[in-house]
Amino acid sequence: MKNKSRRILNRLLFTAGILLPSFIIGGTLMLRHTQLGQAWLRGQWIEQLSAATHSNIDIGHVHFLHPGKTTLEDVRVTDKESGRLICRANHIEVEQGDEQTRLNIHTIQIPDTSPVGWINWWNEHVLAIKQTQQFKIKIGLTLLNDLPVEELNSIAALIQLDASSSQMTVNWGSQPTPLAVQISRTHQHPVATTILLQTNGNSLPLQVVTDALPTTVDLGRHATFNGQLISKYAPGQFTSEVDFAAEGKIENIDLSSIFPTSDGKSITGTASLDIKRAVCNNNQWKRLSAVMTGHAGMIARNWLPELASKLQLRWMGDIKEEHIPYESLHCEFSWDPTGFTLKGESDGAHIGAILRHKNGPILGDRPDAVIRSATLQDALNR
């Protein structure tokens, strides 16, 4: 009787050892290769991702490799409210663990959406998730269509979600020290988001960060920023109660963009702006100090008296040329709510000169003058 029971048990174990792997293999093959299995896999992934990000997700095909590892093809993410395409990825390898998920993306395409708008989407749809989880993301190539940056290579991102706060850190570029941006969002009231950008010695097109600035800035299409900035704002757009601070250097500034006139011929040339300190609280500028320098360019003579009068500068009135070539631009300025001051060169043979040509100064400072105006544009428009 004992031998019979043992034989039955051995047969059951042998049968289980054959049937169980067969069921697993057969189930895996069904998930991989049948329309029913594919529809079920796509439905599961679409439902989970759509619910997690409050967005519309579409997936072309799902490759189930083994438990914990899946490949997604032709993934499209669209905004649920507007229907606007957020991004599209051709190939995503997903490795899921208990506490960490790894995403390896071959190529991601971002449509004609501003970088700041795209960051806003991540902030509102991903960083708003309060579930504890960590994502490590690698992106081979990012295509940005007509945006200021044509493409971004070698992107690495770390997203850490938690019940109290969430954070996303992104590094990109092939330089030894890549550019970095960190977005942090608190979940407790009052909810706030902080963006920290560090270029680490790399030049970034200024148009990429223009929408994150408290006020509209137009310094030309080719202006670049190298430095760091931090911006803290309430949920939604970047226009409500912004706390902002920055330091660094802006290069390739188009002077005609700063000083536009009706005929468009006030001043030409390029300049650099070395920002010492820029602080804004509750969307109101509190302090700004910087030094602007430039080289060869042209300035219209008939514009000089008006410019000198409004900015309380000295100018040489005996210049005859209609358009005056200048060789050097040097302007140190400091601004706070009481007004701003402009100063020229602080040493050398042309102390006080703001703009000069080969024969000497064209414009010079008045060291004790304080311009009682909220902004430079306000002073010029008086």
Side-chain angles (χ1 to χ4, degrees):
M1 186 70 180
K2 184 184 294 186
N3 291 334
K4 183 177 180 180
S5 298
R6 184 173 296 173
R7 285 196 301 273
I8 293 173
L9 179 61
N10 288 337
R11 288 172 182 172
L12 289 174
L13 291 174
F14 177 77
T15 303
I18 295 296
L19 292 179
L20 187 59
S22 299
F23 279 125
I24 293 175
I25 295 172
T28 301
L29 290 174
M30 184 181 70
L31 287 175
R32 288 180 178 177
H33 301 295
T34 66
Q35 292 183 352
L36 180 63
Q38 185 59 212
W40 183 83
L41 282 174
R42 290 179 63 252
Q44 290 293 309
W45 278 96
I46 290 174
E47 181 181 358
Q48 293 180 28
L49 293 176
S50 298
T53 62
H54 304 289
S55 304
N56 292 326
I57 307 292
D58 186 34
I59 302 173
H61 197 85
V62 178
H63 295 280
F64 176 76
L65 304 178
H66 55 73
K69 188 170 184 179
T70 307
T71 297
L72 311 178
E73 291 186 354
D74 193 16
V75 179
R76 297 169 58 92
V77 182
T78 56
D79 185 73
K80 183 173 289 187
E81 290 77 19
S82 66
R84 176 171 49 88
L85 179 65
I86 302 300
C87 61
R88 180 175 183 174
N90 67 336
H91 185 91
I92 304 177
E93 296 177 3
V94 184
E95 293 185 28
Q96 293 176 290
D98 293 335
E99 297 181 354
Q100 184 183 94
T101 300
R102 292 177 177 268
L103 304 177
N104 190 357
I105 303 173
H106 182 269
T107 301
I108 189 169
Q109 184 176 10
I110 301 173
D112 298 332
T113 304
S114 70
V116 170
W118 199 60
I119 289 175
N120 240 344
W121 181 88
W122 280 90
N123 179 44
E124 296 297 327
H125 292 79
V126 177
L127 296 185
I129 299 173
K130 300 178 181 180
Q131 176 183 347
T132 301
Q133 182 65 281
Q134 184 180 91
F135 295 88
K136 285 189 174 181
I137 304 172
K138 288 186 177 181
I139 303 175
L141 177 64
T142 303
L143 303 177
L144 298 176
N145 291 354
D146 295 330
L147 296 181
V149 181
E150 292 182 358
E151 63 182 38
L152 298 175
N153 297 313
S154 305
I155 293 181
L158 175 63
I159 300 176
Q160 295 175 298
L161 307 178
D162 195 71
S164 59
S165 64
S166 299
Q167 185 179 90
M168 178 170 69
T169 303
V170 182
N171 296 282
W172 75 91
S174 55
Q175 302 88 343
T177 306
L179 295 95
V181 62
Q182 186 178 82
I183 309 170
S184 304
R185 178 188 175 112
T186 60
H187 297 314
Q188 284 85 12
H189 182 79
V191 175
T193 297
T194 301
I195 295 179
L196 173 63
L197 170 67
Q198 292 182 318
T199 64
N200 295 319
N202 305 289
S203 293
L204 182 69
L206 187 64
Q207 290 181 346
V208 173
V209 298
T210 297
D211 290 344
L213 302 179
T215 55
T216 302
V217 176
D218 182 11
L219 301 181
R221 295 176 55 246
H222 303 292
T224 60
F225 174 72
N226 180 7
Q228 63 180 2
L229 65 82
I230 184 169
S231 180
K232 182 179 180 181
Y233 67 103
Q237 299 301 316
F238 288 81
T239 55
S240 57
E241 299 182 355
V242 174
D243 288 341
F244 174 88
E247 62 180 28
K249 193 168 187 178
I250 301 176
E251 297 183 302
N252 301 318
I253 297 172
D254 182 359
L255 292 175
S256 62
S257 297
I258 304 177
F259 304 103
T261 58
S262 57
D263 58 8
K265 298 179 180 179
S266 56
I267 188 170
T268 62
T270 59
S272 299
L273 185 66
D274 190 0
I275 303 171
K276 305 299 183 183
R277 189 180 184 191
V279 179
C280 177
N281 296 122
N282 292 328
N283 222 34
Q284 297 292 324
W285 286 104
K286 298 299 181 182
R287 187 168 299 277
L288 178 62
S289 60
V291 179
M292 177 177 285
T293 56
H295 298 289
M298 302 285 290
I299 185 168
R301 184 189 182 282
N302 59 8
W303 188 57
L304 280 173
E306 177 186 358
L307 181 66
S309 174
K310 291 184 176 181
L311 299 184
Q312 301 182 31
L313 302 175
R314 297 176 291 113
W315 73 287
M316 301 296 292
D318 59 347
I319 301 175
K320 305 302 182 182
E321 296 98 330
E322 182 178 351
H323 292 90
I324 307 166
Y326 65 86
E327 293 183 349
S328 175
L329 166 66
H330 183 98
C331 183
E332 302 176 10
F333 64 90
S334 179
W335 180 94
D336 62 31
T338 64
F340 60 90
T341 60
L342 302 175
K343 293 184 179 180
E345 299 179 35
S346 56
D347 54 21
H350 303 283
I351 294 178
I354 290 178
L355 199 67
R356 59 183 171 88
H357 57 24
K358 61 181 180 178
N359 296 324
I362 302 173
L363 281 174
D365 64 21
R366 296 183 185 272
D368 298 329
V370 177
I371 304 169
R372 306 295 180 182
S373 184
T375 66
L376 176 62
Q377 291 301 323
D378 287 344
L380 294 173
N381 292 331
R382 287 186 303 192

